[in-house]
Amino acid sequence: DVVEGVRGARAVVEAEALGVVETATVAAVIRAADAGLKGAQVRLLELRLADDLGGKGYLLFGGDVTDVEAAVEIGAAAVGDVRGTHARVIAQLHGEIAAELAVDGRFAPRVRS
């Protein structure tokens, strides 16, 4: 899944929970994605690498709440206590947010209009 994510593949958001890990570097977010996927039963929904992010990266995990919580914790721990690393879990993903993420992770232009 990580290799496909690096290539730009995105998965449809059909999950109870959404996990987000943001890092200060591309290498760190790849490390977080790999660790989270190996440590929990989640799907990698999106992996954004530096594209218009000032060198930062973020990932989205989807799955059951407990699995997403575990993946986010494992992924963030793999990066370590590095400045610029943020991790959050949205336990019950609202349908409208899931629909926006399914269209494109870059939804700011759609929200502004």
Side-chain angles (χ1 to χ4, degrees):
D1 284 348
V2 174
V3 173
E4 292 303 313
V6 169
R7 291 181 179 154
R10 298 178 68 238
V12 176
V13 180
E14 294 177 359
E16 177 184 14
L18 179 73
V20 182
V21 178
E22 177 187 11
T23 67
T25 68
V26 169
V29 79
I30 291 171
R31 186 177 322 124
D34 185 55
L37 288 169
K38 288 177 179 174
Q41 294 291 330
V42 294
R43 291 191 65 197
L44 182 62
L45 303 177
E46 185 169 355
L47 183 61
R48 285 287 295 283
L49 305 173
D51 185 28
D52 294 331
L53 299 172
K56 296 180 181 182
Y58 74 83
L59 64 82
L60 302 176
F61 288 128
D64 293 335
V65 175
T66 55
D67 291 327
V68 170
E69 288 172 338
V72 167
E73 184 177 322
I74 292 165
V79 173
D81 190 21
V82 177
R83 183 179 171 153
T85 301
H86 305 282
R88 297 289 183 267
V89 174
I90 301 170
Q92 291 184 334
L93 186 61
H94 191 277
E96 288 181 37
I97 298 297
E100 289 293 329
L101 289 171
V103 174
D104 186 358
R106 300 177 187 182
F107 54 85
R110 293 192 309 278
V111 174
R112 285 188 209 126
S113 56

